[in-house]
Amino acid sequence: MSDVARLRDGVVALELEDQRLGGGRLVDHAVMELAKAKHWREVGTYDTAVGDAFTIATGELAVMAGWLAYDADRQSLARRCYADAMALGCEANDPDLIARTCLIGGGQLLGLARRGKARPQVALNLATRARDLMRGTPPGRIHALIAVREAQAYGLLCERSAFERAIATAWREMDQASSFEPLDECPRWLWAVTPAEIAAHEARGRAEFEEFDRAIALFDSVADVERFPRNVINIAAWRAVIRARAGDLRGAVAEAVPVLDTLTGLTSIRTLRNLEPIRASVDEKPVGGEFSDKFDALLTKATTA
């Protein structure tokens, strides 16, 4: 079990470093550690209890490696890591790991769907599977995240009534979690599921229905309370994108330039990809010289590293 503990400590260390450095600097290390853990499972000697615990811990590492790959825009690698996590969860018959994989992997699919490279319905199916697995479990952040994933998918599918139901459920579950699940009693990977996170996802959904003012107001309401540094940057990027969609391209560019400055030392290509609609828009209007130069330089550096 000491090996299990070390493996889980390594996942926690990756989570902390991810907020500071971004996935680009960490993903290769994570994938190498995942390969080692899978090898140890194959050649090691252990009893059933230790084997199951190590399998689950390896699956947790696979989910983390998938997230880092997604953040680094290495989408095929992310899918392989999530497939490993799903297989390990099924092998250990662990519904928590399977649900976690569904929700984190679903986040990747939703991000790709916004770029026209995936179907929101697949992410919705994964959220439904997670809901079935978690049915009957006590109130907690996992239920809020399931509802948020459903709301995200319905927003991209432009199904307003379903979106409204799902986001209302997310807020209700978040309130329940705040009352019945102290943060230090829930799994660490769910610590980022906060009211600020729910509001940010609602803002993205509102933008799909062209409720731009409401979306920007929601982002403004959480900008100062979000406690995860990289999430603050991502919120600023999304707010800039929505300003551009609302027709305020100059305001969007002014807000996006500082985001690019923070990305100079942070290898989070996911955030850079979020700003692509602004980059495409400034090609049509002469308002984004500094933004265009910085964006192109960062993208070139990120994709050739």
Side-chain angles (χ1 to χ4, degrees):
M1 294 303 289
S2 61
D3 292 321
V4 176
R6 279 193 292 271
L7 189 56
R8 286 191 163 134
D9 287 345
V11 175
V12 171
L14 284 170
E15 290 173 351
L16 294 173
E17 287 295 278
D18 173 43
Q19 281 292 330
R20 190 172 68 88
L21 299 173
R25 296 190 186 183
L26 300 171
V27 60
D28 288 332
H29 171 72
V31 169
M32 181 178 67
E33 292 301 306
L34 176 60
K36 289 180 183 178
K38 289 164 63 178
H39 175 70
W40 292 336
R41 284 185 63 257
E42 293 171 359
V43 303
T45 301
Y46 40 78
D47 61 27
T48 299
V50 171
D52 287 346
F54 195 85
T55 296
I56 293 168
T58 303
E60 292 167 353
L61 175 57
V63 174
M64 189 67 221
W67 164 260
L68 295 171
Y70 166 52
D71 192 55
D73 201 31
R74 295 169 64 175
Q75 306 297 341
S76 295
L77 177 58
R79 287 191 179 97
R80 292 199 298 273
C81 291
Y82 292 141
D84 280 345
M86 188 68 75
L88 290 162
C90 291
E91 182 178 333
N93 194 28
D94 186 78
D96 291 338
L97 176 56
I98 297 171
R100 177 178 179 176
T101 305
C102 288
L103 295 172
I104 304 299
Q108 178 202 19
L109 291 172
L110 290 164
L112 291 173
R114 292 189 182 96
R115 295 161 56 188
K117 297 185 177 182
R119 294 176 57 245
Q121 185 63 49
V122 180
L124 184 60
N125 292 343
L126 289 174
T128 299
R129 185 177 184 189
R131 179 177 295 284
D132 291 341
L133 288 165
M134 294 294 101
R135 196 179 306 278
T137 58
R141 285 164 178 78
I142 186 75
H143 297 291
L145 182 57
I146 291 167
V148 156
R149 287 288 185 260
E150 292 173 337
Q152 289 176 281
Y154 286 129
L156 289 168
L157 291 167
C158 295
E159 296 184 17
R160 180 182 285 276
S161 60
F163 169 80
E164 297 290 355
R165 287 195 301 272
I167 202 63
T169 299
W171 280 113
R172 184 175 63 252
E173 295 289 358
M174 187 70 249
D175 290 342
Q176 289 283 309
S178 298
S179 299
F180 296 103
E181 184 188 50
L183 193 62
D184 59 358
E185 293 182 10
C186 78
R188 188 182 183 91
W189 71 276
L190 288 169
W191 285 9
V193 182
T194 63
E197 182 77 359
I198 303 298
H201 286 305
E202 179 180 355
R204 296 183 187 103
R206 297 290 172 197
E208 297 300 331
F209 300 106
E210 298 187 354
E211 297 180 41
F212 300 124
D213 290 343
R214 190 171 177 182
I216 291 170
L218 280 164
F219 278 129
D220 287 342
S221 71
V222 301
D224 294 332
V225 298
E226 173 58 61
R227 60 193 184 89
F228 291 92
R230 206 254 309 275
N231 290 355
V232 172
I233 297 169
N234 208 38
I235 285 171
W238 270 105
R239 189 168 53 194
V241 169
I242 291 173
R243 286 194 192 282
R245 291 179 63 181
D248 181 14
L249 188 55
R250 290 187 183 277
V253 168
E255 194 162 343
V257 168
V259 174
L260 295 179
D261 291 337
T262 64
L263 292 178
T264 300
L266 181 68
T267 55
S268 183
I269 304 173
R270 173 176 58 100
T271 303
L272 193 61
R273 291 292 189 193
N274 289 342
L275 293 171
E276 283 183 331
I278 300 178
R279 180 65 184 89
S281 296
V282 297
D283 273 344
E284 302 171 5
K285 297 180 180 179
V287 297
E290 181 185 8
F291 170 82
S292 299
D293 292 343
K294 288 185 175 182
F295 181 95
D296 293 346
L298 281 170
L299 187 60
T300 298
K301 180 181 177 181
T303 54
T304 59

